[in-house]
Amino acid sequence: MISAPLPAITVLEGLERINASLDTASAECHTEVRTLQPGGARSELDLAQALERSQHFGVRGIHMRTLYQHTVRHSYGLHAYLDRLADVQLEVRTLEELVPRLMIFDRTVAYIPAGAGTRIALELRDPDLIAFLTAAFDCFWQHAVPLHEPLPEPAGPDGITAIRRSIARLLVEGNVDEEIAHRLGLNIRTCRAHIAKLSAALGGSSNRAQLGYQIARSGILDEPRPAGQAGSGGTEGGA
């Protein structure tokens, strides 16, 4: 008896069902996994689940590629996690900004979040949609910086670091502090500290409108952005 094909799109509600589906996809994977993990340092629980799911890939010869944001480079938990995956064919790169989470197994099934939070996800099996997501991941990958390589040019000739230049761009676009922090994988206090230092570097400002004017007048956004930056910036799990 021939089994019915799986749905092109399945809505997964609740962390238990999401993790069960990810476990199945991991167990059935044969060749490659692509994961895109935005945000800053990940929690111990997330890393423990990812480790349990990923450490079996080594003996099966599965190749993993994972994208994080630049801010994870200072996460001791993440580096300890990667050290425990030494036997896995794992490549890690970072970007300044990323789109929401994405996981692709064997170009057969993919997972993306549905709405805010992590409690609803979409399981995707449509070949054309997966091909599109795979191409998007590969585009991000080509612009990303390998984890073992230093980031390019931490500060321009004006003394403003790349992260503050990105904050300046998002400020001019009208984003509030919380959205800027989310997109760059920063906590809100760190983000606001960068904004204060950006303001000081441009001569000080009493309000957001004045800071926007100073940014525009300074010309700092007219300079080419360093390599390793792209896109905009949550399904839990994966590497």
Side-chain angles (χ1 to χ4, degrees), residues 38-51:
R42 302 176 66 197
S43 70
E44 291 185 10
L45 177 60
D46 289 342
L47 291 174
Q49 290 176 335
L51 181 65

Side-chain angles (χ1 to χ4, degrees), residues 70-113:
H70 290 333
T71 47
V72 306
R73 288 171 171 260
H74 308 292
S75 169
Y76 293 109
L78 176 66
H79 286 282
Y81 158 76
L82 295 176
D83 287 343
R84 297 185 66 180
L85 292 178
D87 296 331
V88 178
Q89 299 179 47
L90 173 62
E91 293 183 77
V92 178
R93 297 186 181 184
T94 66
L95 277 169
E96 185 171 289
E97 293 184 64
L98 288 175
V99 295
R101 282 188 171 84
L102 168 66
M103 302 178 67
I104 307 173
F105 296 85
D106 282 345
R107 305 193 190 200
T108 301
V109 57
Y111 296 86
I112 60 174

Side-chain angles (χ1 to χ4, degrees), residues 175-226:
N175 295 281
V176 298
D177 295 357
E178 290 77 8
E179 178 65 14
I180 294 171
H182 173 71
R183 288 179 60 170
L184 298 180
L186 303 169
N187 65 53
I188 189 65
R189 294 179 64 183
T190 300
C191 179
R192 286 173 174 160
H194 279 300
I195 292 173
K197 291 178 180 178
L198 173 65
S199 175
L202 296 177
S205 58
S206 58
N207 55 56
R208 188 59 59 91
Q210 184 180 6
L211 178 56
Y213 171 76
Q214 290 174 325
I215 291 170
R217 184 181 179 186
S218 70
I220 62 173
L221 299 183
D222 297 336
E223 301 173 17
R225 296 173 67 193

Side-chain angles (χ1 to χ4, degrees), residues 117-205:
T118 60
R119 295 188 173 275
I120 303 178
L122 300 180
E123 179 187 277
L124 310 173
R125 292 184 179 273
D126 178 78
D128 293 330
L129 184 53
I130 292 177
F132 173 83
L133 293 172
T134 300
F137 178 96
D138 290 347
C139 183
F140 279 111
W141 185 261
Q142 291 302 317
H143 290 85
V145 182
L147 186 63
H148 65 275
E149 294 182 6
L151 296 178
E153 296 301 324
D158 49 22
I160 296 178
T161 62
I163 187 68
R164 290 174 197 161
R165 184 169 286 107
S166 294
I167 288 173
R169 173 176 54 83
L170 294 172
L171 283 169
V172 169
E173 291 175 1
N175 295 281
V176 298
D177 295 357
E178 290 77 8
E179 178 65 14
I180 294 171
H182 173 71
R183 288 179 60 170
L184 298 180
L186 303 169
N187 65 53
I188 189 65
R189 294 179 64 183
T190 300
C191 179
R192 286 173 174 160
H194 279 300
I195 292 173
K197 291 178 180 178
L198 173 65
S199 175
L202 296 177
S205 58

Side-chain angles (χ1 to χ4, degrees), residues 1-21:
M1 180 177 178
I2 300 176
S3 59
L6 294 169
I9 301 176
T10 301
V11 179
L12 305 174
E13 297 190 47
L15 292 179
E16 183 176 352
R17 189 178 180 198
I18 293 171
N19 284 324
S21 184

